[in-house]
Amino acid sequence: MRIEKDTVVSLTYELLDSTGEVMEKTDSPITYLHGGYDGIFPMVEEELHSKEAGYSCSVYMEPENTFGEYDSQLVRVEPRDAFPDNIVVGMQFEGGEEDSDDVLIFTVTDIADDKVVVDGNHPLAGKALRFDCTVVSVRPATAEELSHGHVHGDHGHEH
């Protein structure tokens, strides 16, 4: 079966930075709903369109096609007493700008006596990336998956 709009694609992948360092790697296949449902990078989806199980590719992407450019304005120094006592570097918190519905995930990057540094950038923001993948299987999406806009079941979203 070919990868077309409204098919479910299972694939294995490695995500590498521009030096070839592996940033992420699958232990088992992931699945996504193909056809503009935002389940995978658009450039990868475009490369996989009309391909079949067994197809392998490498897609090179600049930051604007992945997690965006690094934005120094998303790094903030906050008062220590605004955080729980057990805070550690690497913890994540939801936050956003006043008068905005946009929610960001901020990661604690440094802790001082009375200050905490948090960063709202994705950890891979500002990096050119290479997505190496192999298509494991392709199947038609179910009516329920199409109505929800994501995959259900094995390696997909469970309700």
Side-chain angles (χ1 to χ4, degrees):
M1 170 174 232
R2 290 193 181 279
I3 298 172
E4 302 290 343
K5 182 168 177 52
D6 300 338
T7 58
V8 173
V9 180
S10 293
L11 53 84
T12 57
Y13 76 90
E14 283 187 347
L15 188 64
L16 303 94
D17 69 10
S18 60
T19 68
E21 181 180 347
V22 176
M23 308 306 290
E24 260 182 42
K25 181 179 180 176
T26 56
D27 292 327
S28 59
I30 62 159
T31 58
Y32 79 94
L33 182 57
H34 188 86
Y37 295 95
D38 298 324
I40 199 161
F41 297 114
M43 287 182 70
V44 172
E45 187 170 73
E46 184 178 319
E47 174 64 27
L48 295 178
H49 191 75
S50 79
K51 305 301 188 288
E52 297 179 343
Y55 179 74
S56 294
C57 64
S58 291
V59 179
Y60 299 89
M61 299 172 286
E62 293 298 321
E64 63 267 16
N65 300 117
T66 58
F67 300 103
E69 295 293 342
Y70 187 84
D71 183 351
S72 61
Q73 293 183 357
L74 293 178
V75 178
R76 300 188 179 146
V77 178
E78 302 287 344
R80 172 68 180 85
D81 60 9
F83 294 88
D85 292 339
N86 65 343
I87 191 169
V88 295
V89 170
M91 286 181 98
Q92 295 182 318
F93 299 91
E94 287 186 353
E97 298 293 327
E98 287 186 35
D99 301 326
S100 173
D101 291 334
D102 293 336
V103 175
L104 295 174
I105 303 297
F106 286 87
T107 303
V108 176
T109 59
D110 194 21
I111 302 169
D113 291 336
D114 62 341
K115 302 284 183 204
V116 174
V117 179
V118 295
D119 187 344
N121 287 286
H122 187 281
L124 298 177
K127 295 182 184 235
L129 299 171
R130 187 179 90 209
F131 190 92
D132 294 346
C133 67
T134 299
V135 177
V136 175
S137 65
V138 183
R139 67 167 173 80
T142 66
E144 184 179 34
E145 289 169 330
L146 293 173
S147 70
H148 290 185
H150 57 251
V151 178
H152 293 171
D154 291 345
H155 311 296
H157 182 79
E158 296 285 351
H159 287 280

